[in-house]
Each structure stands twice: as structure tokens, then as C-alpha cells.
Amino acid sequence: MPADTPDIFTSLFQSIGLSKSKAAEAAKNAKSATILRNLILSHDLASESDPLGEKRAVLIAALAVQLAKAPNVDDAQQGYIVKAICERSSIAARFFESHSLPVNEAEFNETCGVASELVISGVKNIPSLRWANPLEIKNAVERVFTQTLGAKEAGKPKAKESKKDTGVSTTSGKSDNTAAQVSDAVQGAKSRKVVFEEGFLGALHKPGENPQIKPDLRDKHLAVTGGRVYTRFPPEPNGYLHIGHCKAIFVNFGYAAHHGGRTYLRFDDTNPEKEEARYFTSIIEVVRWLGYEPWKITYSSDYFDQLYELAIELIKRDKAYVCHCSQEQMKADRGEKVAAPRACIHRDRPIEESLAEFQKMKDGFYRPKEAFLRMKQDLTDPNPKMWDLTAYRVLDASHHRTRDKWKIYPTYDYTHCLVDSFENISHSLCTTEFVTSRQSYEWLCDALEVYKPRQSEFGRLNVTGTINSKRKILQLVNQGYVTGWDDPRLHTVIALRRRGVPPEAILSFVSTLGVSTAETNIQIGRFDQAVRQFLEGTAPRLLMVLSPLKVTIENLPEDYVLMVEKPLHPKVPELGTSIIPFTRTIYIDADDFRLEDSKDYFRLTPGKTVGLFQAPYPITCTSYKTDPTTGEVTELVCRLEEKGTYKTENIYPMGRRTCTVW
Ligand code: ATP
Ligand code: MG
């Protein structure tokens, strides 16, 4: 018998990453608890600073349960399995789901892809593939393996089949199921970790590695950030966020959090004509609802003064000029109808003149579209984003924060990179439509010799079968096709929330799609499926009777009360229980009763005995009352059967629909 008390076991088990309740459960059985203790101690698995993580810990606990039933597994085998769980938990989990102990190592290696790993390292050593992307090699090799040997998961259904065939009870499979359940729950967390460490995000530079025009800019940047990752989520406050934005939120907040960094929520409020206060409030709420807390909430308009000063500096450096061309003229010059862009007549005006004109723009001398400040970029560059983009325009609009202070407003192209620079952003993560903008982003930072963040672009999330554009959703709202931004048919975040979609389900969906430079096009059905899957493992089951039919149990006294405790989830005991009073009067759903019985009807009829879902005893319908005018059944009179007289599952086979106790 172990000398340790269950309490000591519990804290030891928690030290490998088991939750308190799982640790307590594992400590209950003395035999498997002792084995688990020995596994932990002999393999040095306990660590406060670096626990195994819940998924691996659950597998180790499940292994201890299995070992208790298979005493002939030697130490070497045990060590082998523990190592496999620690190093390759998900594939090991798959293997142990379908194989009992002791383990056949060759079979295990094949299932777990050791063979494919060897091939991958072999292929990587082929000289002509020396510079090939390792991820692509891995994917290509795995594709060949899958085509030749079938999918890795192929073992799973087989395991289920064999259980069914042999009629093995589910009790022994219970701990496996629980392990699988828990591993499903942590799957989201795991895929999040992988997203941030592999592929596109894994390949991003380290803070400070982004090149600067002058070395001291890097030093100053690192002095401010302490070498931390700084990101920002920069929505334009011109609408409510939709599911696509969740990817950008996840990427920006998640990446920084994963590296112990900081994320700004920055409102890109440079277009006062389209912005509304309600959008700001909702965006903050949505970010918080998704579980992220911005390090700081800022506004591009916080920097209007600094941006203006830098515009003057840009003109002084002969890198910007005031232009009075019409928009048609500008378009024509920018090459729509000519082979190459043309310099406009204002491009080479004296610096002093541009300074004076810019002052006039600021003072309200010009009406909208009569004057622009344009950057003097490179008209010989093939990238249109280098063809003298507009930096400032005149707008006759009151700004929600700066009111009427400004007559001129900076553009996205001018503002975004500079505010990223002011905020010392280490990774400016945006979607791929901004790839061509990166050159002008970098040009402007260098032209002004300010810290230059590195912009990196990932693929947008397009959910097909719904609308993912604020502008288009606004049209639907304005034209009355939907009742508002939270109409449940939309995929705005507030609509999803209204439908009961939990934030974790959205994040889990986004994280499992991964992040790369490719656009992700996903059918809306896959999103719904991901939400259902998430709810399946996490939502407490509550019962209600939609169309109640009164049942009086005649052989129970008036004051009879039996408190029935029922689990809130059939497979996740952690979700707890609820207590329902079982009394002389209960209600079943009207659909669960009819007058005529038949072979394939398993619910209640006159004279028939059925079990009640999660209630202790079955009932027999002895008579019923009807409404004298409509003939509708209004009440059933039933008899409660004696304990043990009936086995409810004989009457109501598992998996059939049962009557529901109210
Ligand atoms: P919309 O077209 O709906 O107006 P937007 O790109 O104009 O979207 P912004 O408010 O400018 O919306 O976006 C804030 C951030 O969210 C940007 O960095 C943008 O790249 C990102 N984002 C917007 N839509 C998506 C999407 N579908 N997938 C991933 N990121 C997105
Ligand atoms: Mg936009």
C-alpha cells in the first residue's frame, strides 16, 4: 500500500499539469495512483516551471490506469511509452486509443510516423533541395505517405468497430474517452501554440532584426520596448467587426501574447466622414469579449500634430509637394492611359512654395479636392504604390475627437507606417492586399529617418456564403435587408455573440485554420461545424419541455419530493450537476405521448411502461384526461414502478429518444 495520502498524490499529480479535479480522480484508485506516482518520480515528470501540459499529463494518467491492468509491461516499455507521450503526444494518443498494452514498437513507430520523419530528413539532405522550404518538404512527404498508406487517423474508427464487435463494455474505454475529451479541449490551445511557433508566424523576425536606415534607430527602439514583441490591431472605426477581423485580432494579440509582448488597439480614425462613436465602443467590446486586453488603446488622431510636423519635414527634405491636379488628371498621370506615370506640373515646384501652400491647406484656404500633399516617391519604380501617393487631403468634416481643429487629414498610406513607428511596433501584421504598400511604408520611414517597423502580410480569411465586408454589410443594414448589424444571419461578431457562439469557439476555429500568406476560403458550414464541435465538449446540457403535458403519478403522496442529481454533461463531469425535484406532478413533452402504440414507437402510450430520462424509476400510463371540447389529451395519470422491477434500458434502449423530466 502506498505510504502517500491521496492529498499528497493530488498535489504531485497536479505538478505534471493535471487539473485539480483530474488529479483528484487519478488519486482515487490506490493501485493506479501508485503507478502514476512511480512514473512521475522515475521519469522526472514533475516540474513547477515546466509542467508537461494538460494533454500529456492526462495521457500519462491514462497510461497508469492501463498499466494497473497490464502488470507484465516492463520498465523499458514503460519508459518508451512515457517518452513517446512527452515527445509526440497527439500521435501517441491516437495510437493508445486503438491499441492495448504491451506495445509493439514497430507498429507504434509506423503509426506515429517515425518512418515519414526519417524520409523527411533524408529528402532534406538531397543537395538540390538544400534551400527548399522545410515545411513544403514535410508536407510533400506526408502527402505521399498519406496517399500510399492512408490517413494517419485511419486507426480510429477501427478501434470503435472492434469494441462494438466484441461487445466490450464502455467502462474500460471510459478513461480513454475522457483522455480524448480532454485532449480535444486542449487541442485548440495546442493548435494556437503551433500557429505562433511554426509556418508564417514562426518565421517572422525577432524584435530588432528589422533593418533601419540608421543603426541608432534600432537601439532607441529596443531601449523603449526592451526587445519585446509589439503589435497593433488597427481597425478603421467605420463599421462593426466581422469574423474576418477575428483572424487579425487573433494574429496580432495572440502572437504578441505568445511572446510575452504587447498589443495596441489602435483606431485608424483618419476618415472622419465615415466614423461613428458606436463603432468605437463596439470594437473595444468585441476585442475584450474575445478575451484580449489591449496594452493601450490609441487613435491615429492622437498623433495628428506629430504627423503634421513630419509632413512639413518631408516637404523640407524635398520629398513632398502640394499638388492641385484634378483627380482625373492625377489618374491620367499615374499611368491609366499612358504607358508610364508622368510627373505632374506641381512636382518640381520650390520647397518654399509647397510649404506655403500646405499652410494654406491647413488654414482652410482650399476646398476638398483643390489641393493635396503628395509624397515625392519614385515614378520610375514599377510599383504604383511608389507613384507619388497622397499624404494629406482637405476634408470638410468634423472629427469625432479633434472636432474642427483640422481641415486637412492624413491618408492611410501616410499615417499607418508613421504611427506604427511612433508606437515602436516590432511586427506590423496585416493582410496581403497591403503587400504592394510595403514599399511606400518603408520609403516614408526612411525618407524621414524614423524607426522603421517591418510589415508582414498574412492571407485574409474569407468565409464564403456570407458577407465579410463592413462596407457591404452597411449597405444591407441601410437598405433594410437585415434588421441591424447584429442580425443573426450576419457574421459580424455581435451577431455571432447574439446567436450564442462563444468567443473560444471563434478563436479555436481561426487558430485551426492556421496563418499563412495564402487566403483562406472557408465555407460557412465549416464554421458552424467548428462551433458545434466546440459546444459539444463544453456546453452544459439543460433540459426544457417545449410543449408540456402534465403527468400525475397516482401512487406518490402529494408531498413526495425526491431530489434527482443529474450531470450537466454526459461525458464531462467537470461541468458539474444540477438537482431536479422529482414529485407527484411532472411534465413530459406532449410529443412523447400518443394514444396508439406500435413496434417502432418507444415513447409513452396508455398501458405502456417507459423510463424517464435520468430519472430513477420508470412510469406506466394507467389513464389520461382529455379536453371535452377539443378531445386533446390534457393530462396523464401514471404509476411509478417499484425500484428494480424494471430495467429502464430494456424499455428504452440507449440512444433512443426519451421522455424528458421537467
Ligand atoms: P472591411 O473590408 O470589412 O472594411 P477592412 O480591411 O477595411 O475590412 P479594417 O478595419 O481596416 O477592415 O481592418 C482592421 C484589420 O483587420 C486590418 O489589419 C485588416 O487587414 C484586418 N482584416 C480585415 N478583414 C480581414 C479578414 N477577412 N481576414 C483577416 N484580416 C482581416
Ligand atoms: Mg479598411
Side-chain angles (χ1 to χ4, degrees):
M1 281 297 285
D4 310 64
T5 65
D7 274 357
I8 293 174
F9 273 152
T10 311
S11 53
L12 177 69
F13 297 168
Q14 278 179 268
S15 73
I16 63 167
L18 283 181
S19 67
K20 200 170 174 193
S21 59
K22 285 258 164 245
E25 200 181 306
K28 267 188 200 156
N29 180 306
K31 194 171 172 193
S32 56
T34 309
I35 295 174
L36 181 55
R37 181 199 58 179
N38 294 344
L39 284 177
I40 294 172
L41 299 179
S42 57
H43 296 281
D44 206 12
L45 302 177
S47 163
E48 265 178 30
S49 56
D50 186 22
L52 284 179
E54 191 168 10
K55 183 176 175 184
R56 289 183 173 86
V58 167
L59 282 169
I60 297 280
L63 172 67
V65 173
Q66 288 227 31
L67 288 172
K69 293 183 225 151
N72 53 342
V73 179
D74 63 24
D75 285 355
Q77 275 249 347
Q78 286 187 23
Y80 180 77
I81 300 166
V82 169
K83 192 162 174 272
I85 291 176
C86 294
E87 288 172 6
R88 286 171 285 164
S89 63
S90 54
I91 35 191
R94 264 205 298 272
F95 186 84
F96 294 127
E97 263 171 37
S98 53
H99 296 70
S100 55
L101 296 174
V103 165
N104 174 331
E105 282 183 29
E107 202 187 338
F108 176 80
N109 282 341
E110 195 185 316
T111 312
C112 296
V114 168
S116 73
E117 277 164 27
L118 287 175
V119 173
I120 291 168
S121 65
V123 172
K124 275 189 199 153
N125 288 335
I126 297 173
S128 55
L129 291 177
R130 222 170 79 197
W131 306 112
N133 179 341
L135 193 68
E136 280 172 17
I137 294 185
K138 181 171 176 283
N139 291 343
V141 171
E142 285 185 355
R143 246 194 326 272
V144 174
F145 265 76
T146 311
Q147 279 160 7
T148 326
L149 302 171
K152 282 181 187 168
E153 281 87 346
K156 221 173 180 177
K158 232 165 127 191
K160 279 191 185 156
E161 265 167 35
S162 70
K163 270 183 194 164
K164 202 167 128 199
D165 289 344
T166 53
V168 173
S169 90
T170 49
T171 345
S172 71
K174 226 175 189 170
S175 65
D176 288 350
N177 281 345
T178 317
Q181 273 282 316
V182 178
S183 79
D184 273 357
V186 294
Q187 194 59 36
K190 190 201 155 207
S191 60
R192 279 175 223 181
K193 192 165 178 255
V194 169
V195 163
F196 299 128
E197 289 178 0
E198 291 176 6
F200 170 83
L201 293 173
L204 293 178
H205 64 278
K206 302 230 163 10
E209 280 179 3
N210 38 324
Q212 301 301 327
I213 197 156
K214 285 177 167 176
D216 67 313
L217 293 171
R218 169 184 299 116
D219 301 340
K220 281 188 199 146
H221 161 71
L222 290 175
V224 174
T225 63
R228 284 192 195 89
V229 167
Y230 271 42
T231 59
R232 81 289 168 272
F233 171 61
E236 228 179 301
N238 59 355
Y240 290 85
L241 300 181
H242 51 69
I243 187 161
H245 290 111
C246 295
K247 178 170 181 181
I249 294 176
F250 168 74
V251 167
N252 280 294
F253 280 91
Y255 182 74
H258 185 72
H259 291 284
R262 295 168 168 169
T263 305
Y264 285 89
L265 168 58
R266 183 202 308 152
F267 290 105
D268 187 18
D269 58 348
T270 52
N271 196 352
E273 286 164 342
K274 293 193 179 155
E275 291 152 13
E276 287 182 34
R278 61 190 176 127
Y279 300 143
F280 288 85
T281 325
S282 168
I283 289 172
I284 297 174
E285 266 174 29
V286 162
V287 169
R288 291 197 169 128
W289 181 73
L290 285 172
Y292 297 112
E293 186 57 41
W295 180 54
K296 283 184 183 169
I297 298 174
T298 57
Y299 300 79
S300 295
S301 57
D302 292 343
Y303 306 99
F304 276 176
D305 286 320
Q306 263 167 280
L307 290 167
Y308 175 72
E309 294 305 323
L310 283 182
I312 291 175
E313 177 62 26
L314 200 64
I315 302 172
K316 286 185 181 163
R317 291 179 180 224
D318 198 18
K319 291 198 157 100
Y321 59 96
V322 172
C323 167
H324 303 278
C325 292
S326 66
Q327 292 209 302
E328 293 70 35
Q329 183 64 46
M330 256 192 233
K331 270 189 193 161
D333 285 347
R334 281 173 49 84
E336 259 181 24
K337 297 212 173 85
V338 287
R342 269 191 313 241
C344 87
I345 51 166
H346 311 100
R347 194 173 204 259
D348 290 322
R349 73 197 311 177
I351 290 172
E352 288 311 319
E353 208 176 290
S354 277
L355 284 172
E357 288 297 317
F358 190 47
Q359 182 66 41
K360 278 161 78 179
M361 281 172 68
K362 179 174 182 267
D363 293 343
F365 184 84
Y366 290 113
R367 301 286 308 144
K369 301 198 174 114
E370 286 178 357
F372 301 88
L373 181 72
R374 290 178 69 182
M375 297 182 252
K376 203 185 261 191
Q377 296 172 288
D378 183 358
L379 298 178
T380 63
D381 196 286
N383 182 354
K385 289 282 178 183
M386 289 299 286
W387 299 346
D388 292 6
L389 298 180
T390 299
Y392 267 88
R393 73 269 199 226
V394 176
L395 287 181
D396 196 6
S398 177
H399 189 277
H400 73 106
R401 296 185 79 233
T402 58
R403 305 286 165 211
D404 298 319
K405 176 174 173 187
W406 297 93
K407 302 281 173 234
I408 51 172
Y409 289 94
T411 58
Y412 172 88
D413 291 307
Y414 179 78
T415 311
H416 195 71
C417 56
L418 293 181
V419 177
D420 273 358
S421 175
F422 300 155
E423 293 184 344
N424 272 293
I425 300 303
S426 62
H427 296 78
S428 180
L429 305 171
C430 61
T431 38
T432 47
E433 68 268 28
F434 294 103
V435 168
T436 51
S437 300
R438 196 201 308 153
Q439 200 177 345
S440 77
Y441 181 111
E442 297 189 344
W443 177 89
L444 184 55
C445 291
D446 286 346
L448 288 164
E449 294 179 81
V450 295
Y451 162 71
K452 179 173 59 184
R454 162 78 202 197
Q455 176 184 300
S456 303
E457 308 85 9
F458 61 90
R460 280 176 86 88
L461 167 62
N462 291 326
V463 182
T464 56
T466 184
I467 309 272
N468 302 288
S469 153
K470 284 181 285 184
R471 191 175 48 82
K472 290 184 186 155
I473 299 174
L474 182 64
Q475 276 181 24
L476 292 178
V477 174
N478 286 346
Q479 293 171 24
Y481 289 106
V482 291
T483 53
W485 284 87
D486 65 348
D487 186 305
R489 290 166 292 180
L490 293 175
H491 286 76
T492 55
V493 182
I494 53 171
L496 293 174
R497 185 174 63 184
R498 187 174 164 200
R499 271 166 50 181
V501 174
E504 299 87 352
I506 299 178
L507 293 179
S508 148
F509 168 71
V510 170
S511 68
T512 47
L513 297 178
V515 180
S516 73
T517 51
E519 269 198 13
T520 312
N521 291 305
I522 291 287
Q523 277 291 334
I524 194 64
R526 266 194 66 190
F527 172 70
D528 295 337
Q529 170 64 17
V531 173
R532 274 196 295 273
Q533 208 172 340
F534 182 85
L535 290 173
E536 165 62 25
T538 53
R541 309 304 206 248
L542 301 173
L543 303 174
M544 73 177 190
V545 179
L546 285 178
S547 163
L549 176 60
K550 185 174 176 185
V551 176
T552 302
I553 303 176
E554 58 187 352
N555 56 339
L556 285 182
E558 286 288 346
D559 58 354
Y560 180 87
V561 183
L562 173 68
M563 299 312 265
V564 181
E565 187 176 6
K566 56 176 260 351
L568 285 171
H569 193 291
K571 291 182 189 156
V572 187
E574 290 82 355
L575 286 177
T577 55
S578 70
I579 292 177
I580 299 176
F582 185 74
T583 56
R584 181 180 156 86
T585 304
I586 60 170
Y587 290 87
I588 66 167
D589 203 285
D591 278 353
D592 286 333
F593 175 81
R594 76 179 190 200
L595 293 172
E596 324 75 39
D597 201 4
S598 68
K599 256 191 186 167
D600 56 354
Y601 187 72
F602 298 94
R603 300 179 224 173
L604 201 54
T605 55
K608 190 171 167 186
T609 308
V610 299
L612 295 168
F613 187 48
Q614 290 175 342
Y617 314 119
I619 53 170
T620 305
C621 178
T622 52
S623 64
Y624 58 91
K625 296 177 186 165
T626 50
D627 183 314
T629 43
T630 63
E632 217 178 287
V633 177
T634 53
E635 184 181 339
L636 306 182
V637 180
C638 292
R639 184 179 65 238
L640 191 72
E641 299 302 344
E642 283 302 305
K643 191 177 182 181
T645 313
Y646 287 87
K647 282 189 179 160
T648 52
E649 61 269 27
N650 290 342
I651 303 157
Y652 252 21
M654 287 272 287
R656 302 270 180 198
R657 187 162 167 217
T658 53
C659 297
T660 309
V661 184
W662 174 244

